[in-house]
């Protein structure tokens, strides 16, 4: 176990340390909530950044520092904004660094805890979906004029579907824990759709869509809502880097419109709720319509299908490899997640015409 109190003492924390306990349901980092004694002092989020997944943590922290400062400066110019709650705020170490590297090679960082927030793994109302769309749309719009050098790629090829398919084929060839024979159906499912799923990558390669600064992990629990369920803050900025708008729109649609949990075992419960698709799209396009090109909007509905595919493929690959990447709670968890994502994709395939019609109606006023 880590000495969390000692680690916290490295940071410029105000108030007296009271307790630290595991927090949230992320699959990658170790997250702890730090409570302080004094009523008026901030509470904090302490995270151990997963350096197996993120190979260049100093570069990643520099991205986050630049992005959060840029957003903060925009918020400070707005009369009613509350920057401490509407963007993540890094708390520096005593020597002014954005992270602390301990003697065992672990990277730690601290954020102000955003108080009175609500975070949802499953969306239950169109208004929540709309708020999520508005927040992720606004996030991307605010970063469209980030000055300076391009952000570093914290995970190179993160949403590159060709690369993901290569890793999948490689895992199947090696089959290190002899699981390949048990998942024939899922393998067929992946192969049947592989060509179609390269669409966004090819559009990007041919410069038909522009590269932007994107979040790349826009699952719904990475946006915090306030006590009235109004959009408050976009969090989990480890993967903010160059990407296509479809990556942010797609991953949100995957998580926002699903009537069940990402890892739901009972596949009958997994469907895409078209009302939630409509509400999320409304919020997202309200904030990005002016910025997006015709071609980008043409492929938004398709992006919805891409993400259950790509994330399902990643869960399945991790399952074949023996579960090294995503945190799991039981033996077949990654397979269960993959199956659930593929069921969601089938549901979207059935409703694809309606998804396209909704985007068509919302595209008005686009370039
Ligand atoms: P992971 O990459 O593992 O998903 P996150 O950065 O998303 O890690 O953090 C995990 C959870 O911790 C989030 O889903 C959210 O509930 C909570 N969280 C993270 N940062 C904050 C913050 N600054 N204020 C309040 N809650 C936070
Ligand atoms: C991981 O960190 P978290 O739990 O928000 C993953 C995402 C997946 C998601 C699936 C860096 O996100 O890409 O979509 O799990 N993040 C990373 O739930 O791989
Ligand atoms: Mg998260």
């Amino acid at each position: 176990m880590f000495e969390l109190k000692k680690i916290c003492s490295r940071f410029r924390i105000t108030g007296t340390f009271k307790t630290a306990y595991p927090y949230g349901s992320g699959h990658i980092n170790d997250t702890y909530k730090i409570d302080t004694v004094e009523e008026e002092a901030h509470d904090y989020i302490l995270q151990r950044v997963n350096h197996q997944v993120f190979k260049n943590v100093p570069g990643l922290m520099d991205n986050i520092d630049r992005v959060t400062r840029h957003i903060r400066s925009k918020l400070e110019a707005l009369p009613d904004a509350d920057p401490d709650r509407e963007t993540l705020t890094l708390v520096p170490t005593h020597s002014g660094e954005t992270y602390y590297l301990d003697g065992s090679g672990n990277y730690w960082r601290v954020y102000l805890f955003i108080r009175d927030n609500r975070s949802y793994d499953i969306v239950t109302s169109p208004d929540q979906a709309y708020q999520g769309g508005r927040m992720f749309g606004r996030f991307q719009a605010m970063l469209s004029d980030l000055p300076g050098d391009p952000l570093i790629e914290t995970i190179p090829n993160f949403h590159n579907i060709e690369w993901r398919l290569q890793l999948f084929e490689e895992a199947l060839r090696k089959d290190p824990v002899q699981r390949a024979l048990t998942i024939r159906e899922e393998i067929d499912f992946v192969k049947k759709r592989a060509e179609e799923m390269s669409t966004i990558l090819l559009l990007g390669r041919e410069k038909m869509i522009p590269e932007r600064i994107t979040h790349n992990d826009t699952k719904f629990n990475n946006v915090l809502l306030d006590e009235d369920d109004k959009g408050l803050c976009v969090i989990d900025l480890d993967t903010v880097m160059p990407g296509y708008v479809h990556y942010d729109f797609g991953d949100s649609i995957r998580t926002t419109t699903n009537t069940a949990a990402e890892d739901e075992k009972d596949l009958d419960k997994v469907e895409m709720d078209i009302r939630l698709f409509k509400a999320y799209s409304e919020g997202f396009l309200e904030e990005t319509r002016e910025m997006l090109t015709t071609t980008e909007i043409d492929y938004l509905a398709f992006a919805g299908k891409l993400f259950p595919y790509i994330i399902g493929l990643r869960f399945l690959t991790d399952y074949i490899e023996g579960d090294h990447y995503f945190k799991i709670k039981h033996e077949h968890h990654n397979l269960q997640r993959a199956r659930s994502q593929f069921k969601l994709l089938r549901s979207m395939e059935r409703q694809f015409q309606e998804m396209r019609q909704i985007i068509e109606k919302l595209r008005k006023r686009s370039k």
Side-chain angles (χ1 to χ4, degrees):
M1 270 314 285
F2 300 106
E3 291 186 83
L4 299 176
K5 186 175 174 185
K6 221 166 143 190
I7 293 161
C8 284
S9 74
R10 299 279 176 164
F11 291 86
R12 286 188 204 157
I13 280 175
T14 55
T16 314
F17 179 97
K18 186 160 95 187
T19 46
Y21 48 94
Y23 193 81
S25 54
H27 297 341
I28 304 294
N29 296 316
D30 293 346
T31 302
Y32 305 91
K33 165 106 192 279
I34 307 297
D35 288 342
T36 52
V37 174
E38 297 81 0
E39 209 32 43
E40 66 286 0
H42 277 292
D43 289 333
Y44 298 90
I45 285 284
L46 170 69
Q47 285 182 318
R48 185 170 73 104
V49 183
N50 185 329
H51 60 270
Q52 312 294 344
V53 165
F54 300 105
K55 311 281 187 214
N56 176 3
V57 179
L60 172 153
M61 291 306 296
D62 187 54
N63 277 3
I64 295 183
D65 195 32
R66 286 175 58 196
V67 162
T68 51
R69 280 174 195 275
H70 185 70
I71 294 176
R72 174 173 283 267
S73 72
K74 295 211 161 183
L75 292 170
E76 279 168 352
L78 301 174
D80 299 324
D82 179 357
D84 281 357
R85 290 179 78 218
E86 292 179 40
T87 180
L88 284 175
T89 307
L90 279 168
V91 177
T93 63
H94 292 293
S95 52
E97 308 287 338
T98 52
Y99 61 87
Y100 162 60
L101 176 60
D102 73 17
S104 317
N106 294 302
Y107 292 86
W108 297 89
R109 69 173 168 225
V110 171
Y111 289 118
L112 292 186
F113 180 77
I114 295 168
R115 64 187 158 74
D116 304 325
N117 78 75
R118 291 184 177 186
S119 145
Y120 297 96
D121 291 335
I122 301 180
V123 173
T124 51
S125 78
D127 191 53
Q128 289 172 350
Y130 168 80
Q131 295 294 330
R134 212 173 51 75
M135 292 303 290
F136 281 121
R138 188 172 82 145
F139 180 83
Q140 200 169 110
M142 285 201 287
L143 291 178
S144 62
D145 60 352
L146 182 80
D149 290 338
L151 297 178
I152 68 141
E153 273 193 281
T154 59
I155 301 179
N157 293 314
F158 190 48
H159 291 316
N160 178 328
I161 187 67
E162 279 178 2
W163 185 65
R164 293 292 177 192
L165 285 162
Q166 270 168 27
L167 294 183
F168 170 70
E169 294 289 351
E170 223 167 90
L172 279 179
R173 258 196 315 277
K174 293 188 184 145
D175 196 16
V177 284
Q178 280 92 53
R179 281 174 166 171
L181 278 177
T182 66
I183 52 165
R184 307 259 29 123
E185 222 177 286
E186 288 73 23
I187 297 173
D188 285 350
F189 184 95
V190 166
K191 292 196 168 165
K192 239 176 148 170
R193 292 161 177 81
E195 200 182 321
E196 178 197 2
M197 293 299 166
S198 302
T199 304
I200 300 296
L201 189 70
L202 297 182
L203 285 171
R205 223 173 248 159
E206 289 159 17
K207 306 269 183 264
M208 307 273 288
I209 50 174
E211 203 168 64
R212 299 180 179 280
I213 295 175
T214 46
H215 182 287
N216 296 305
D217 189 5
T218 53
K219 64 176 174 184
F220 195 81
N221 67 18
N222 283 333
V223 63
L224 302 180
L225 307 186
D226 72 10
E227 56 276 63
D228 301 318
D229 266 2
K230 195 160 173 297
L232 182 62
C233 183
V234 170
I235 63 166
D236 203 346
L237 306 181
D238 297 323
T239 51
V240 178
M241 58 181 155
Y244 304 114
V245 64
H246 305 93
Y247 295 163
D248 281 3
F249 185 80
D251 201 27
S252 280
I253 293 304
R254 173 182 82 84
T255 47
T256 305
T257 67
N258 192 348
T259 51
E262 177 178 76
D263 61 349
E264 177 57 56
K265 196 171 177 186
D266 179 356
L267 299 185
D268 289 340
K269 291 188 180 154
V270 179
E271 288 292 343
M272 183 195 67
D273 183 336
I274 194 81
R275 292 171 317 141
L276 300 178
F277 177 83
K278 179 163 180 272
Y280 184 92
S281 305
E282 268 168 15
F284 191 85
L285 279 164
E286 213 170 278
E287 298 289 337
T288 56
R289 186 184 278 122
E290 303 297 330
M291 177 177 97
L292 298 181
T293 67
T294 305
T295 310
E296 286 182 299
I297 297 179
D298 285 345
Y299 287 91
L300 287 180
F302 172 78
K305 290 197 295 186
L306 176 60
F307 271 74
Y309 182 84
I310 200 165
I311 306 296
L313 174 66
R314 287 175 56 200
F315 288 144
L316 192 63
T317 305
D318 199 30
Y319 183 71
I320 302 166
E321 286 175 341
D323 309 307
H324 301 303
Y325 188 92
F326 295 103
K327 291 181 181 173
I328 52 165
K329 295 199 175 125
H330 52 83
E331 195 187 352
H332 300 296
H333 202 171
N334 270 319
L335 177 59
Q336 187 177 310
R337 286 168 171 154
R339 285 186 171 148
S340 193
Q341 292 299 302
F342 294 162
K343 167 65 202 293
L344 180 65
L345 174 52
R346 284 186 201 281
S347 173
M348 289 182 179
E349 287 173 344
R350 275 199 308 278
Q351 302 181 75
F352 189 53
Q353 285 319 318
E354 282 162 270
M355 291 164 76
R356 292 194 59 154
Q357 283 160 10
I358 287 168
I359 299 291
E360 276 317 305
K361 279 198 189 135
L362 292 172
R363 94 153 57 225
K364 289 180 293 296
R365 289 196 286 125
S366 69
K367 277 178 267 165

